[in-house]
Amino acid sequence: MAGSRFPDGFLWGAATAAYQIEGAVTEGGRGPSIWDTFSHTPGRTLNGDTGDVACRHYDKLDEDLELMADLGLRAYRFSIAWPRVQPEGKGPANQAGLDFYRRLVDGLAERGIVPAVTLYHWDLPQALEDAGGWTARTTSERFAEYAAIVGEALGDAVGMWTTLNEPWCAGWLGYGTGAHAPGRSGLASGTAATHHLMLGHGLAVEALRAASSAPVGITLNLNRFIPASDHELDLRAARIADAVLNRLYLDPVFKASYPEDLVELVRAGGGDFDAVQPGDLDVTSRPIDFLGVNFYSTAVIADVSREAEARQAGYVVAPVGARDANAPFGVRQVGRADLERLATGWEVEPEGLTDILVRLRDEYTRGPLYVTENGAAQHDYRGPDGAVHDPGRISYIDRHVRAVLRAIERGVDVRGYFVWSLMDNYEWSLGYSVRFGLTWVDYPTGERVPKDSFHWYRQVIAANGLTGDA
Ligand code: IFM
């Protein structure tokens, strides 16, 4: 590997998710999902934005396939909307839903693009939520049935399967803090939902293996947490943040356990891990073929009792929000005023990506890793020349691609990198307020305009690496 060239066959991709781009929420027999309900509930999303129309991808499938071919993508990561396949979350498949995804995977194959399919990117059928959602063990079983249906229908054409995308968001934010759909909160529901997601993952691995020979993995959103000081309370706080975001999801997959320190904290806070039944952790740790890593930023962590010291040390300490992911454990994220930030407020520190990839190799798995999401939220606009100039995004992706390369140079088996996102889209509770796309979407009309970053990334893909200096 010379200069900034990547290993032969490195998989350059871009990613999206069903609810964020498809729109057409009542077409083709699709049933409602928890995100339809949540986004239509006043006060839940910024400006009351919903995914009803989104990027009109359902109606613009052919145009979007051409866009991907134009970008030169080697792989396209997208998710299947469970409520398109099973409108009520159980029972026989809705053929119109499967037909849509068959057109998509066939269109990718015709263009030489590997379909990288995620089964669950947060759009649980509302009917299953009404029966308890992810706090109910039966939802894990329903998920395995859905995985079997999709595996049978598309297994011949899919290049790689991901069971869940970011179970932390679906479980902890959806059922722990309530920041995401379905908006439930509490330690007990957060941990029950987390476990049933991980159980569903393991059952889906088995179902997919029975139906398809394509590699199967899971995608986790991981972060590197930096203690605000060497004080033992800040060190402990950073360990707790690590347990909640990272180890709570890595350990059941790779170590057949949940992190003991977090289990104790949850019990002390009135929650429990009673959803875990004998044998479950054998299921959650069924061998997988790869791990997907979504990475955006790093975070500095302080103990809540040490806010004054953190402020004195120059950190920005905002008031704690009830929906802070670590609020129940007295753990605070504090800001670094000197660091570049994305439009979401996330701090930019690409070295964190190298660190995480190396840590995964050292502590969890020697198996292949893919960076399944990485990208920059910005407030892009279309200039008077009609183009979208986004040098900040190019710089962000450039630095993170280099961070991946540093991990590869240190012997980590990273096989691919996917930009989030192919196009601007619906950013969940932030609605349409920030843009992550390589492609600008004019929401009123659905027009697509490739940004400067799109043209730049096309060159990266064609060259199998970066051509200029950092
Ligand atoms: O848009 C999301 C995506 O759905 C999951 N990963 C993070 C992205 C940016 O927030």
Side-chain angles (χ1 to χ4, degrees):
M1 184 173 35
S4 59
R5 293 288 190 284
F6 280 68
D8 288 345
F10 191 79
L11 209 56
W12 297 99
T16 63
Y19 188 69
Q20 294 180 271
I21 65 165
E22 286 181 1
V25 291
T26 55
E27 282 178 48
R30 179 187 180 278
S33 82
I34 54 175
W35 267 96
D36 296 294
T37 309
F38 187 78
S39 63
H40 279 271
T41 305
R44 291 300 204 173
T45 68
L46 200 63
N47 303 317
D49 286 344
T50 75
D52 288 1
V53 177
C55 309
R56 306 165 198 251
H57 170 70
Y58 188 79
D59 298 318
K60 286 179 167 281
L61 180 59
D62 294 330
E63 183 181 337
D64 288 340
L65 284 165
E66 283 308 307
L67 188 72
M68 294 179 223
D70 186 24
L71 181 54
L73 282 185
R74 304 279 189 260
Y76 173 52
R77 175 175 182 258
F78 63 95
S79 78
I80 292 188
W82 186 350
R84 279 201 195 284
V85 174
Q86 289 179 297
E88 302 270 310
K90 60 181 180 182
N94 168 39
Q95 194 55 45
L98 288 176
D99 289 348
F100 173 71
Y101 295 110
R102 172 48 75 174
R103 273 180 60 213
L104 174 52
V105 295
D106 286 351
L108 292 169
E110 281 161 25
R111 292 162 179 82
I113 303 170
V114 174
V117 173
T118 301
L119 287 179
Y120 188 69
H121 200 123
W122 312 348
D123 41 4
L124 184 74
Q126 182 60 43
L128 292 187
E129 177 58 27
D130 296 341
W134 283 109
T135 61
R137 192 177 174 87
T138 46
T139 299
S140 315
E141 292 155 17
R142 297 291 85 77
F143 183 60
E145 291 160 12
Y146 156 65
I149 289 174
V150 178
E152 292 284 332
L154 304 178
D156 59 314
V158 167
M160 51 198 286
W161 297 103
T162 299
T163 54
L164 306 176
N165 177 72
E166 302 182 359
W168 178 78
C169 294
W172 204 257
L173 297 187
Y175 293 83
T177 72
H180 275 203
R184 288 161 65 181
S185 53
L187 270 182
S189 52
T191 50
T194 291
H195 177 61
H196 292 139
L197 278 154
M198 301 318 287
L199 183 64
H201 151 74
L203 294 171
V205 170
E206 291 171 1
L208 289 170
R209 293 227 186 277
S212 162
S213 57
V216 183
I218 184 171
T219 278
L220 305 177
N221 52 317
L222 302 174
N223 206 343
R224 188 163 82 87
F225 296 105
I226 304 153
S229 77
D230 287 342
H231 192 282
E232 66 181 84
L233 286 176
D234 290 337
L235 296 173
R236 177 180 167 277
R239 276 199 303 276
I240 294 172
D242 180 59
V244 173
L245 186 83
N246 300 330
R247 290 185 279 125
L248 182 56
Y249 301 88
L250 285 164
D251 288 12
V253 172
F254 293 106
K255 300 185 173 175
S257 63
Y258 283 112
E260 206 39 57
D261 51 348
L262 185 62
V263 171
E264 278 171 28
L265 274 171
V266 166
R267 292 215 167 105
D272 60 51
F273 272 81
D274 293 354
V276 185
Q277 294 190 6
D280 281 4
L281 288 159
D282 295 334
V283 178
T284 63
S285 58
R286 291 280 185 257
I288 53 175
D289 302 309
F290 68 89
L291 175 67
V293 177
N294 291 356
F295 177 86
Y296 292 87
S297 70
T298 58
V300 175
I301 300 295
D303 186 272
V304 73
S305 68
R306 292 187 40 83
E307 288 183 358
E309 288 82 353
R311 218 173 261 121
Q312 259 171 14
Y315 292 112
V316 180
V317 184
V320 68
R323 288 182 175 180
D324 277 11
N326 294 310
F329 307 121
V331 171
R332 297 294 319 278
Q333 179 174 341
V334 296
R336 286 166 285 185
D338 55 336
L339 223 59
E340 176 188 338
R341 283 169 187 267
L342 300 177
T344 41
W346 302 342
E347 296 171 355
V348 178
E349 199 173 36
E351 298 74 33
L353 178 53
T354 311
D355 293 345
I356 281 173
L357 295 170
V358 170
R359 175 185 179 193
L360 288 170
R361 188 269 315 270
D362 291 346
E363 294 180 24
Y364 286 98
T365 175
R366 298 255 156 184
L369 305 176
Y370 290 84
V371 176
T372 39
E373 280 183 30
N374 175 244
Q378 300 201 324
H379 297 297
D380 301 314
Y381 60 91
R382 212 168 161 184
D385 57 355
V388 182
H389 304 297
D390 57 343
R393 179 168 295 104
I394 293 173
S395 163
Y396 178 96
I397 297 173
D398 180 295
R399 284 176 284 158
H400 285 80
V401 164
R402 284 175 206 280
V404 173
L405 192 58
R406 283 195 289 278
I408 294 174
E409 286 164 353
R410 288 170 67 179
V412 184
D413 185 7
V414 190
R415 302 267 179 101
Y417 173 90
F418 293 71
V419 173
W420 183 269
S421 173
L422 174 66
M423 65 182 88
D424 295 336
N425 58 50
Y426 179 70
E427 180 54 19
W428 308 109
S429 50
L430 296 181
Y432 297 97
S433 62
V434 296
R435 293 172 179 268
F436 277 93
L438 298 170
T439 309
W440 163 275
V441 175
D442 181 54
Y443 292 114
T445 63
E447 183 189 357
R448 275 88 165 119
V449 180
K451 302 179 190 175
D452 286 358
S453 57
F454 180 104
H455 303 296
W456 172 84
Y457 191 51
R458 178 168 44 200
Q459 287 172 7
V460 173
I461 298 173
N464 195 30
L466 299 160
T467 46
D469 291 337

